[in-house]
Amino acid sequence: ANAGLQRAYTNVPLKSGLTANELMHMDEEFILPLYARVPIVFTEGQGSTLLSHDGEPYLDFMSGVAVNALGHGDPEWREAVKEQVDRLTHISNYYHCEWAAPLAERLVKSTDFASKVFFCNSGCEANEAALKFARKRAVVTSGAKLDTKAGVNTNEKTEIVAFEHSFHGRSMGALSTTHKLAYRLPFQPMIPGVKFVPYNDAKAAAAAITSKTAAVIVEPVQGEGGVTPATKEFLEAVRQSCDEHDATLIFDEVQIGLARSGRLWCHEHVGVMPDILTFAKPIAAGLPMGGVLMSSKVSDTIQKGDHGTTFGGSPLVTRVATMVFDRLSDGDCLREVQRKSEKISTELTRICEPHIKSGLVKQIRGLGLLQGLELSKPVAKLITHAREESHVLFINAGDNVLRLAPALTVSDEDIDVA
């Protein structure tokens, strides 16, 4: 009966005028097949619940891959979007934007290191910009000569140190610092001079960082690579080596930053400051936005024309991001994330105890509301089972790690269900 009901719903027109079946066939015909999409069309959302084309509710415990920090349909978010859409959405960066500077001030003053911020549209773009800024700083601080007529740049401080199991994006610069070979191999040659060293290995990092290192890029918690937090000792050692060799330290907080860890910025947990910090996913809670925070020793080397963006920092996204930032940086929000994190960790430990003894569960790890459950076998079937049998949406972080990344506003009741 349920299968028949679902088949009936797939033939009911959606708001687009297409049925779910028609939409999925059109997707297959016209959209580049980069994603192994699940045959569900979600049409509405409220809080941590998504409603599918066949009228079924699903509990969303991946929040658009850690994007929908306020859940779905948040009233204040909707009001901010509507208010700004009714006034002005885009003007380009040739003119001042009403909300960009107030948001920039909030972001800069929320850190102990930043002096300036650059706005863009995604985490990948943020990391791409960060790598460029680090290279530019290396040119300036090394005293390299630039001859635009001859096309000569004498800078030799060009190497980048990244880490095994890292993920920083899919454009050429960010991809060059992403460790998974399957992502890089079809597009080689990558940008030269990138070294990958073991994550959380302070000695290996110190050996890799030299006078030729322009930048070190590291995630304080590796998301795609398995939900693995960096140790305090590791990040302290990386910071020290960067200082010794005047290399720019980049923290990629695209997934873990902006309250998901239980602190506004993840690096606050260990007290190690970067020179550059990249952020994105939750900053506009569903609208495309990213950014790069940087210290004065980086921003002082950047000139007009060194970089740019068409859409970054538009009136619409900065208006919404200002509201989102004020919500996420509030002390009550951060305390609630910490409390919910403890609740999830406690429940996971209780549920998994017999499976740890049997060897099925290898480790529970993570920080805040980004938690990983490492199994001794692939998690794909578990994710499918949870979606099809319990209507709970999870995501993986590598083959063997189940990733939990709910909205930061997730309720205790929804945690209990998941």
Side-chain angles (χ1 to χ4, degrees):
N2 288 337
L5 182 63
Q6 289 184 351
R7 282 195 296 273
Y9 268 109
T10 60
N11 293 313
V12 174
L14 305 174
K15 292 285 188 181
S16 63
L18 299 169
T19 67
N21 274 338
E22 289 170 339
L23 189 148
M24 286 185 273
H25 285 307
M26 187 177 288
D27 183 305
E28 185 176 348
E29 183 175 359
F30 295 109
I31 296 180
L32 192 65
L34 296 174
Y35 313 103
R37 297 193 202 273
V38 174
I40 300 174
V41 180
F42 287 115
T43 57
E44 298 177 48
Q46 191 65 46
S48 292
T49 300
L50 285 167
L51 189 67
S52 70
H53 66 269
D54 53 6
E56 292 289 338
Y58 287 76
L59 177 57
D60 182 5
F61 244 63
M62 55 182 285
S63 61
V65 194
V67 168
N68 298 311
L70 303 180
H72 303 284
D74 179 81
E76 192 176 357
W77 184 92
R78 292 174 65 180
E79 181 59 31
V81 171
K82 184 179 184 301
E83 175 191 284
Q84 193 59 42
V85 165
D86 287 344
R87 296 184 65 225
L88 184 66
T89 58
H90 178 76
I91 52 173
S92 88
N93 282 298
Y94 282 98
Y95 307 98
H96 289 282
C97 166
E98 180 180 2
W99 290 98
L103 175 61
E105 180 185 34
R106 285 167 165 81
L107 286 161
V108 167
K109 289 185 175 181
S110 74
T111 77
D112 291 329
F113 74 92
S115 67
K116 295 286 193 295
V117 65
F118 166 74
F119 293 130
C120 56
N121 309 287
S122 69
C124 182
E125 288 182 51
N127 286 329
E128 199 78 28
L131 294 169
K132 281 186 67 178
F133 296 156
R135 279 277 184 90
K136 177 64 190 299
R137 178 177 176 269
V139 167
V140 173
T141 58
S142 69
K145 305 299 182 183
L146 300 181
D147 187 335
T148 54
K149 290 184 178 180
V152 173
N153 178 348
T154 64
N155 179 41
E156 294 184 353
K157 192 177 181 66
T158 60
E159 292 181 356
I160 299 167
V161 174
F163 295 90
E164 293 176 2
H165 307 297
S166 61
F167 183 90
H168 300 293
R170 296 177 185 267
S171 58
M172 288 303 286
L175 181 60
S176 296
T177 59
T178 292
H179 180 246
K180 192 172 181 177
L181 184 59
Y183 292 156
R184 290 184 286 116
L185 189 60
F187 308 102
Q188 289 183 347
M190 294 283 98
I191 290 175
V194 177
K195 301 176 183 176
F196 290 103
V197 298
Y199 189 67
N200 272 334
D201 188 329
K203 289 183 178 179
I209 300 168
T210 71
S211 60
K212 291 188 176 183
T213 303
V216 177
I217 183 166
V218 61
E219 300 157 275
V221 176
Q222 288 190 332
E224 302 292 327
V227 193
T228 305
T231 65
K232 177 180 174 67
E233 294 72 22
F234 169 66
L235 292 179
E236 286 176 339
V238 170
R239 176 73 271 179
Q240 182 179 346
S241 294
C242 285
D243 290 340
E244 290 173 358
H245 296 286
D246 199 21
T248 300
L249 177 57
I250 303 167
F251 281 174
D252 176 346
E253 293 206 19
V254 166
Q255 186 165 170
I256 193 63
L258 289 162
R260 184 160 290 278
S261 73
R263 304 288 292 270
L264 183 60
W265 302 109
C266 183
H267 66 271
E268 295 174 17
H269 287 277
V270 295
V272 178
M273 297 297 115
D275 303 307
I276 292 176
L277 181 147
T278 59
F279 62 90
K281 290 180 181 291
I283 183 61
L287 295 182
M289 187 181 186
V292 184
L293 284 159
M294 66 202 81
S295 68
S296 58
K297 74 179 188 181
V298 178
S299 62
D300 288 350
T301 67
I302 307 300
Q303 299 176 328
K304 287 181 174 63
D306 278 346
H307 198 56
T309 173
T310 297
F311 294 103
S314 75
L316 177 58
V317 295
T318 52
R319 167 67 183 94
V320 175
T322 300
M323 180 279 296
V324 173
F325 181 84
D326 287 347
R327 291 268 298 273
L328 298 185
S329 59
D330 180 74
D332 287 342
C333 172
L334 296 170
R335 283 186 287 274
E336 273 294 281
V337 170
Q338 294 166 13
R339 184 187 67 79
K340 292 169 187 176
S341 169
E342 291 173 4
K343 178 178 175 62
I344 290 176
S345 296
T346 299
E347 286 300 301
L348 280 176
T349 301
R350 180 184 64 79
I351 293 168
C352 292
E353 184 176 359
H355 303 295
I356 292 173
K357 292 177 180 178
S358 72
L360 175 61
V361 175
K362 296 178 67 175
Q363 190 178 26
I364 302 168
R365 58 177 181 258
L367 192 62
L369 289 180
L370 183 64
Q371 295 288 327
L373 186 64
E374 184 181 3
L375 305 186
S376 58
K377 63 182 183 179
V379 297
K381 289 183 178 180
L382 177 59
I383 291 172
T384 300
H385 179 84
R387 182 182 68 247
E388 294 182 351
E389 300 301 323
S390 302
H391 283 197
V392 179
L393 305 177
F394 296 115
I395 190 173
N396 66 308
D399 292 338
N400 290 17
V401 178
L402 183 73
R403 182 176 6 168
L404 286 69
L408 305 187
T409 55
V410 65
S411 68
D412 285 357
E413 292 77 14
D414 286 337
I415 291 173
D416 290 337
V417 170

